[in-house]
Amino acid sequence: MTNIDSDPLFTSLCNEKTLQSQNEGFFNVFYESVADNFKGVNTNWLKDVYHRVPSDAGKLRLVYDDPVVAYEVQGTLEHVKPVFRGKDAKFSWQRREQALKLLAENKTQMALMMACQAVMRAPAQGVDKFIDKGLTLALALWTRAEVFIRMLDGKRALQDLQLAAKCGLPVKQNADYYSRVAKCYALCGEDARAEVSAKLFHSLAGHNDYALGRLKEDLEDLRVLKRETPSNEEEKVLPTFTGDAANSELSGASSKIKLVGSKDDSRGRYIAAAEDIAPGEPILAEPAIAACLYPKFFGSHCNACFNRLVAAVACPDCCGVAFCSVACRDRACASYHRFECQYLDLMIGSGMSILCHLALRIVLDAGTPQAAIEKGNALLEHLCAHSQLREAEDHFKRTLMTTFLLSILQKAEFFGRRTTESPEPNDLELQVGTIILGLLQTLQFNAHEIYETRITGEHRVDSAKVQYLGVGIYRTASMFNHECYPGVSRTFLGTSIIFHTSRPIRSGAVVPENYGPHFLRQPKPMRQRNLRSRYWFKCECRTCAEDWPLLERLTDEPRLLCPTDGCENVLAFPTKPSKRSIKCSKCKKQVNLEPSMKMVDASEELYASAAEMITNERIDEAVELLTNGLKMFAQVAVPPHKPTHIAEESLRVCFADKATTNRY
């Protein structure tokens, strides 16, 4: 790191955060117990022995075999065991009773919260036969369905009723079941199915005409209430690229971008424009290779797709995570969660960072050790790692973390049932461990933090704030280089990443994104420090080279392009009328800048109109005005220009409104 690092302490702190997010976690104790052996003749073991091993596989094998560290490493790993929150039928029963009481008092939101807790803590059918005769989960779902019917949410109520039936709720002779199903269909606008369910109710209720009449009245009342209640849910769709618009080489990308450069170039491989791209165009809509939710959102968001939970679907075995649907739960439990389930609390307690969890998730999502090796090698070949710059101690800590994660895979039987209790890996396990160690080095520079837009007030834009939910890794998105003046806005829909251009980009030019340090908010020294310490490179973008001022110091007088065809000279903004007609120093022609100044004024008028549209929550119209203004500005002027940069930020806000948003 000495060739680029001007702040070793800050760099060390940044590196530490990518490995361990909590100082109080037991991983720190694990490391200290191993490092305690680096005394006397072993003082320089890290540099003289460990760091001289040329490969990650060799380094990983060394920590299991070398007597200087092997005893502490293997002794600690032998204690890895399941730690997780199990089910509790009594607790579920108590929460269900509270939900029913609150529902009787018309406190539906509080009732829903209690009912969700009842569902999450209820054991599977037949596990605890002393409470509810083993039907605690079915009854919790039955109760929550009633809450959803009261809230006029027929879709979620129907999902719970169907789940309750699968969990053992008697339905064949249950008139009440079909009464509730009829109400669900009525709320969903499926009148034919509601009628069929009502007939089944009538039959099971002993052909009680009075009861049928009451049910039909209830159904009509629900339909009226549903029509009178505006829906707050809007379906948002991921941009798609089909036919010639789809990129055949880059996952989830538009054909308007391309991968250029090479690993030997100073800029590496990066994304450039394959043709002229206008502002506001979607150029990437890429699903995550893998994504991990921050633990603090385990109870509020789906562990698989990051959707905010309304009707949580529980894991059959643990209470640690929740899912938004049966489909998400089944996908997770068929892949990564069946191995993570009993070790999640242990992983959190270790203090390991979310990037460590992501490395493990990439392996588990592959399904098998062989597939994980193939997938991991392909990903590592694709991603930047800066391995040659990593210090011995930092690398060693990542190797220790790898042994911990590998031990979890062993104990969770990812490799199948083992014939030994020893944590020492066999050849197949060592290969997977090497993949994890490689990922622990590359994810630091390539993972993206996934966010939602949190709306906390009446106005959906003015009260919007970014809330980071987790991290994901993306093959194409990781190939975009950084500039302090980005060319794209980054949003998310679930765990899929979306890039829209935020300014015009010419064919062949770099399509840059921003890794965090933006020139509008951070001065150059701070940006350079952050980028060196967090991403290990010195930024040489135009913004840094010209040292553009912060937002508050920007002016509305941009530099103007020479209006002569073919001349790309940049001219100072004329502050006096006498300077509006000047001789260009490059093309040597006398040029009139008056038309260019008028176009800048016109672009600013479009920005102002867009701001009014945003105030009125007319987002689509605002996007059109902003993109037209940005195109107009780019024809005659170059940044920096305060109104234009505010417009670019406004465009980003508009695209965020079209991505994942949740009202709190």
Side-chain angles (χ1 to χ4, degrees), residues 148-206:
F148 279 129
I149 290 172
R150 291 279 194 94
M151 298 175 75
L152 307 180
D153 192 339
K155 181 180 178 181
R156 291 189 174 95
L158 185 61
Q159 174 182 275
D160 276 358
L161 289 174
Q162 291 169 342
L163 271 176
K166 290 181 180 179
C167 294
L169 184 76
V171 298
K172 288 186 177 180
Q173 303 299 320
N174 190 338
D176 287 343
Y177 177 81
Y178 289 100
S179 169
R180 290 192 182 183
V181 169
K183 292 176 182 179
C184 293
Y185 282 130
L187 287 168
C188 292
E190 298 186 44
D191 292 339
R193 290 185 173 183
E195 184 66 25
V196 171
S197 299
K199 288 180 179 178
L200 287 170
F201 163 79
H202 186 228
S203 174
L204 293 172

Side-chain angles (χ1 to χ4, degrees), residues 39-272:
K39 298 176 180 177
V41 295
N42 298 319
T43 300
N44 296 320
W45 183 86
L46 277 177
K47 291 183 179 179
D48 294 345
V49 179
Y50 176 82
H51 207 47
R52 291 184 178 181
V53 177
S55 68
D56 281 353
K59 287 182 170 71
L60 183 57
R61 172 60 72 188
L62 183 70
V63 300
Y64 288 101
D65 293 345
D66 193 300
V68 174
V69 295
Y71 177 79
E72 291 292 341
V73 170
Q74 295 201 37
T76 300
L77 297 179
E78 286 173 357
H79 291 90
V80 170
K81 60 183 179 180
V83 179
F84 69 105
R85 285 180 291 169
K87 304 293 186 177
D88 187 331
K90 184 177 180 180
F91 181 90
S92 176
W93 171 79
Q94 290 171 339
R95 288 293 185 266
R96 189 177 80 235
E97 291 298 309
Q98 288 176 310
L100 290 170
K101 181 180 178 181
L102 290 165
L103 194 60
E105 298 170 358
N106 288 322
K107 297 177 180 178
T108 52
Q109 285 295 339
M110 293 179 66
L112 177 60
M113 183 174 67
M114 292 296 107
C116 284
Q117 290 183 21
V119 169
M120 289 300 300
R121 297 301 297 273
Q125 179 185 359
V127 171
D128 189 341
K129 295 183 179 179
F130 294 100
I131 297 178
D132 298 319
K133 298 181 180 180
L135 296 177
T136 305
L137 178 56
L139 293 173
L141 290 162
W142 173 259
T143 300
R144 192 170 69 178
E146 178 60 22
V147 177
F148 279 129
I149 290 172
R150 291 279 194 94
M151 298 175 75
L152 307 180
D153 192 339
K155 181 180 178 181
R156 291 189 174 95
L158 185 61
Q159 174 182 275
D160 276 358
L161 289 174
Q162 291 169 342
L163 271 176
K166 290 181 180 179
C167 294
L169 184 76
V171 298
K172 288 186 177 180
Q173 303 299 320
N174 190 338
D176 287 343
Y177 177 81
Y178 289 100
S179 169
R180 290 192 182 183
V181 169
K183 292 176 182 179
C184 293
Y185 282 130
L187 287 168
C188 292
E190 298 186 44
D191 292 339
R193 290 185 173 183
E195 184 66 25
V196 171
S197 299
K199 288 180 179 178
L200 287 170
F201 163 79
H202 186 228
S203 174
L204 293 172
H207 297 282
N208 187 325
D209 293 337
Y210 174 76
L212 179 61
R214 289 290 302 273
L215 175 59
K216 288 187 175 182
E217 289 177 6
D218 289 343
L219 297 181
E220 188 55 36
D221 289 343
L222 288 171
R223 292 186 184 102
V224 171
L225 287 171
K226 186 68 174 179
R227 285 195 295 268
E228 293 175 349
T229 305
S231 174
N232 293 324
E233 294 186 13
E234 55 179 314
E235 189 169 345
K236 297 181 178 180
V237 181
L238 198 67
T240 56
F241 309 103
T242 58
D244 292 339
N247 196 306
S248 59
E249 297 179 356
L250 299 173
S251 169
S254 161
S255 59
K256 293 187 176 184
I257 62 174
K258 60 184 178 180
L259 184 63
V260 299
S262 70
K263 286 189 173 183
D264 297 329
D265 292 345
S266 60
R267 291 187 293 183
R269 294 184 297 172
Y270 58 93
I271 299 296

